[in-house]
Amino acid sequence: MYRSLNEYIALLEREGELVRIGAPVSPVEEIAEITDRISKMPGGGKALLFENTGTEFPVLTNMFGSERRMALALGVGSLGELSARIDGLLKEAAAPRTSLTDKLRALPMLAEMARWFPRTASGRGACQQVVHTGGEASLAALPVLKCWPADGGRFVTLPMVNTVDPETGVRNVGMYRMQLFDDRTTGMHWHIHKTGARHYDACKRLGRRMPVSIALGGDPAYTYAATAPMPDNMDEYLLAGFLRRRPVKLVKCITNDIYVPADCDFVIEGYVDPAEAKGVEGPFGDHTGFYSLEDRYPLFHVTAVTHRRDAVYPATIVGIPPQEDACIARATERIFLAPIRMALQPEVRDLSMPEAGTAHNIAVVSIDRRYGGQAVKVAQSLWGAGQMMFNKYMLVVPSGTDVRDADALARFVRRLDPVRDVVRSEGILDVLDHATATPGFGGKIALDATAVDPGAPVPDIPALPEGFRTDLLEKWGVALAFAEPGACVRVPGGVKYLAVFDSAAAELTARELLWLAAANTDPRRDVRAEGTALVIDARSKRPGAGENPARFPNVVTASEQIVALVDCRWAEYGLGAFVESPSRRYRRLLLSGGAQW
């Protein structure tokens, strides 16, 4: 695969997937605003290489921001090739082997699998061509981004955080954002559900300082693997080896015993001391499209910074979708569907997590239905499986349905009984979910469409009173209303679904409203049956009122000043025709001038 991030950049350039920006740009908000405009273009725009960042290092953004670039990053012509490869591998591994001949036929497969395991090397790697330790180990030299105006500071957004279980010695590579507090201290934003947090708790029990090393760049397969929902105690570098078809070569860090990829671009070495008081981290404009607000997280202390001589600093921008994280999620769908079918739910045929759901909130699953209630079993099982436990809304459809075809899905939703065919539950939610009053825990809903005839007749479209939007009524059966929080909205007769939004959202598209509804609701509080209709209250939640959360965040938008700056400088960037700032569209949703209401 790729021997460096620069090698991947060269491929992107040859394939017409990269734009170099030679004009001077600031890592403070300007790079993020440019990237946000490009990443929301049809097809995800281009990858962007900012060559003049005020530091010695260029910045690469949007490198995974299209399905084509995601496939290029993983060394395949299409993501479907990964699905076929994994399906074939698992079928071969599970095939019965009753004879010696059958067993001998498995040897080539076993030999190939053995080649994926990471390997350690002596000496230093390319990532250690330049070494800074002690007082010279400063993060000030790196072009770390501040993305949004209410962010608490600059954040490392694509870190591969390497930790080791102190009790078993098993390695984990996760991706946890890191806020810079000073030149040698950052926050370590690992949630309670994450493996890094479990390693931290184990070190705390043992009274040990926790070594941590952060790798940046190198083969894009490393970065993807750090985001992947691998089972606990499974090595992410093994997944990277599978994707690369060759093992990851690891070298020992300079100031701790962690091993990192030899060919990555940067390594930030250091430690977390569990005996030390946690620091206040955030706010941060997050992938949910809202700010995640201040909270307390462990402090990471830098002991060394090493890098390649030709290092490129990789970064991602998250915020209101679509962003490049949606393309990463599509790769995860393709890579992990086969293991889900084999190990967890053999009746599952396909799985999609639409970009409006920002990774977790919405899932569409097709299954082979053989008996009544099977969709309930599938939903409950998936809600207990790895990162699927964070899902809030699930639509279960029969096999043969294209789970990515909105028209096909609408035929089922339109004909559902929204009261009878609803499966309700409670469970774990993402810590970043801002709608629930109990952080990390809330409601879940599945719509069981597996017994629905998509060709059955539907009731006549009702005539709605003035003030309701009807553009989703004929296709989806959904009426839209817009009112201030707390105002009463009656369900019109003949309506199956009513979704109520803030008045400021009245001009958003259907896709944008789906994102807002999934983000702003806790199904146990905000989704109710009213007669024969299902009502979804997707309005902002006044903090502390009734069962509302104690804090409620703002949507993520650029400041008027940075939007005006990028408007003025657009021709300098060499990006072609002018692209309007998405933030102009979403500023009407702001509830205040800061990160929260």
Side-chain angles (χ1 to χ4, degrees):
M1 283 278 286
Y2 304 103
R3 290 170 293 184
S4 68
L5 186 54
N6 267 308
E7 193 171 292
Y8 175 60
I9 289 169
L11 174 67
L12 292 180
E13 194 159 30
R14 290 195 302 273
E15 295 288 329
E17 289 283 343
L18 179 88
V19 177
R20 291 178 180 267
I21 299 174
V25 293
S26 172
V28 178
E29 299 184 48
E30 187 177 7
I31 287 178
E33 169 61 8
I34 297 167
T35 303
D36 190 43
R37 297 187 190 204
I38 296 300
S39 65
K40 285 184 169 57
M41 292 176 66
K46 305 289 187 185
L48 303 176
L49 185 66
F50 298 91
E51 298 178 309
N52 191 345
T53 64
T55 73
E56 65 176 290
F57 304 110
V59 171
L60 178 67
T61 65
N62 205 30
M63 68 172 173
F64 298 123
S66 72
E67 191 157 323
R68 183 163 186 252
R69 286 199 296 283
M70 193 72 238
L72 288 172
L74 301 181
V76 291
S78 71
L79 296 179
E81 290 181 24
L82 288 173
S83 302
R85 186 178 163 208
I86 294 169
D87 264 334
L89 176 68
L90 292 178
K91 286 175 182 175
E92 179 71 16
R97 307 189 189 281
T98 56
S99 69
L100 178 59
T101 302
D102 290 336
K103 293 173 184 176
L104 290 174
R105 286 197 188 107
L107 292 178
M109 178 193 68
L110 296 174
E112 182 184 4
M113 291 175 65
R115 287 196 292 268
W116 304 336
F117 283 87
R119 298 176 184 175
T120 59
S122 59
R124 293 188 176 183
C127 64
Q128 297 162 328
Q129 289 171 341
V130 180
V131 176
H132 298 287
T133 58
E136 295 182 352
S138 172
L139 300 176
L142 305 186
V144 181
L145 305 189
K146 180 183 179 185
C147 297
W148 304 106
D151 282 355
R154 299 188 186 207
F155 287 81
V156 181
T157 55
L158 276 181
M160 296 173 272
V161 180
N162 294 256
T163 61
V164 174
D165 188 320
E167 296 173 319
T168 66
V170 174
R171 171 176 47 239
N172 181 72
V173 189
M175 188 162 288
Y176 319 116
R177 74 183 190 227
M178 300 167 62
Q179 180 181 346
L180 271 62
F181 295 139
D182 57 45
D183 292 348
R184 301 189 64 191
T185 313
T186 79
M188 187 56 73
H189 188 93
W190 47 45
H191 296 165
I192 192 170
H193 309 112
K194 304 296 185 179
T195 306
R198 184 173 63 76
H199 292 178
Y200 171 85
D201 290 339
C203 287
K204 188 171 185 176
R205 280 196 311 273
L206 296 170
R208 297 182 190 174
R209 181 183 282 183
M210 179 180 182
V212 181
S213 287
I214 291 86
L216 290 157
D219 190 324
Y222 307 156
T223 302
Y224 170 73
T227 73
M230 291 285 281
D232 206 3
N233 293 326
M234 288 288 289
D235 193 337
E236 284 76 13
Y237 291 135
L238 173 59
L239 172 62
F242 165 79
L243 295 170
R244 301 161 37 96
R245 295 181 181 266
R246 71 180 186 196
V248 180
K249 179 182 174 183
L250 303 173
V251 294
K252 185 177 176 296
C253 287
I254 305 296
T255 60
N256 64 30
D257 292 333
I258 301 286
Y259 282 77
V260 294
D263 54 1
C264 61
D265 284 62
F266 296 89
V267 181
I268 306 169
E269 303 178 16
Y271 65 89
V272 171
D273 186 350
E276 183 179 22
K278 294 179 179 179
V280 176
E281 189 261 12
F284 176 72
D286 228 314
H287 75 276
T288 60
F290 290 77
Y291 283 98
S292 53
L293 301 177
E294 288 183 349
D295 207 342
R296 291 191 171 273
Y297 284 91
L299 300 178
F300 169 75
H301 300 279
V302 177
T303 56
V305 177
T306 74
H307 61 84
R308 304 174 68 106
R309 293 190 186 93
D310 61 350
V312 174
Y313 181 85
T316 190
I317 313 302
V318 292
I320 294 173
Q323 299 280 14
E324 69 176 318
D325 58 319
C327 300
I328 296 173
R330 280 197 286 275
T332 297
E333 288 174 12
R334 307 273 49 88
I335 291 170
F336 287 90
L337 177 61
I340 284 174
R341 283 205 305 257
M342 175 164 285
L344 193 67
Q345 293 294 331
E347 60 263 74
V348 170
R349 284 294 160 263
D350 207 352
L351 168 68
S352 174
M353 304 189 80
E355 65 184 19
T358 60
H360 302 307
N361 287 343
I362 304 170
V364 183
V365 183
S366 67
I367 68 169
D368 280 332
R369 179 185 185 271
R370 296 187 298 104
Y371 50 84
Q374 195 166 1
V376 180
K377 172 230 180 191
V378 168
Q380 297 286 6
S381 179
L382 290 177
W383 284 332
Q387 292 190 26
M388 280 297 293
M389 68 179 172
F390 300 136
N391 172 251
K392 285 202 284 190
Y393 294 99
M394 186 182 298
L395 174 63
V396 188
V397 294
S399 61
T401 307
D402 185 344
V403 296
R404 294 164 189 83
D405 183 342
D407 290 337
L409 300 179
R411 287 192 286 272
F412 286 98
V413 172
R414 184 75 176 88
R415 292 164 174 81
L416 274 167
D417 183 323
V419 176
R420 181 197 63 206
D421 296 330
V422 168
V423 179
R424 288 184 176 269
S425 187
E426 290 184 333
I428 302 300
L429 297 181
D430 193 340
V431 172
L432 300 179
D433 191 292
H434 62 265
T436 176
T438 48
F441 188 85
K444 298 173 182 289
I445 277 181
L447 297 177
D448 178 5
T450 55
V452 172
D453 178 1
V458 295
D460 293 335
I461 303 300
L464 299 188
E466 186 177 350
F468 288 85
R469 241 175 76 177
T470 60
D471 49 302
L472 299 181
L473 197 56
E474 182 173 0
K475 181 175 178 179
W476 292 91
V478 179
L480 304 174
F482 301 88
E484 297 308 307
C488 181
V489 180
R490 296 185 180 278
V491 182
V495 166
K496 273 195 167 187
Y497 308 92
L498 173 64
V500 187
F501 296 88
D502 294 324
S503 299
E507 295 183 22
L508 296 185
T509 66
R511 183 198 63 77
E512 292 166 332
L513 291 176
L514 180 60
W515 154 68
L516 200 58
N520 267 357
T521 55
D522 178 343
R524 63 182 174 179
R525 178 194 60 223
D526 299 319
V527 182
R528 70 181 190 277
E530 191 168 317
T532 59
L534 201 66
V535 179
I536 303 100
D537 187 347
R539 291 173 287 186
S540 303
K541 309 300 181 237
R542 191 173 297 280
E547 298 179 356
N548 289 351
R551 304 183 297 173
F552 198 84
N554 253 326
V555 295
V556 175
T557 63
S559 68
E560 292 179 348
Q561 292 83 357
I562 203 69
V563 169
L565 172 70
V566 173
D567 282 353
C568 182
R569 299 195 62 200
W570 189 262
E572 296 179 54
Y573 304 138
L575 290 165
F578 178 76
V579 178
E580 184 69 62
S581 173
S583 290
R584 291 193 190 279
R585 181 170 182 78
Y586 301 120
R587 288 188 65 79
R588 69 191 74 177
L589 299 176
L590 292 175
L591 303 167
S592 70
Q596 66 185 85
W597 194 344

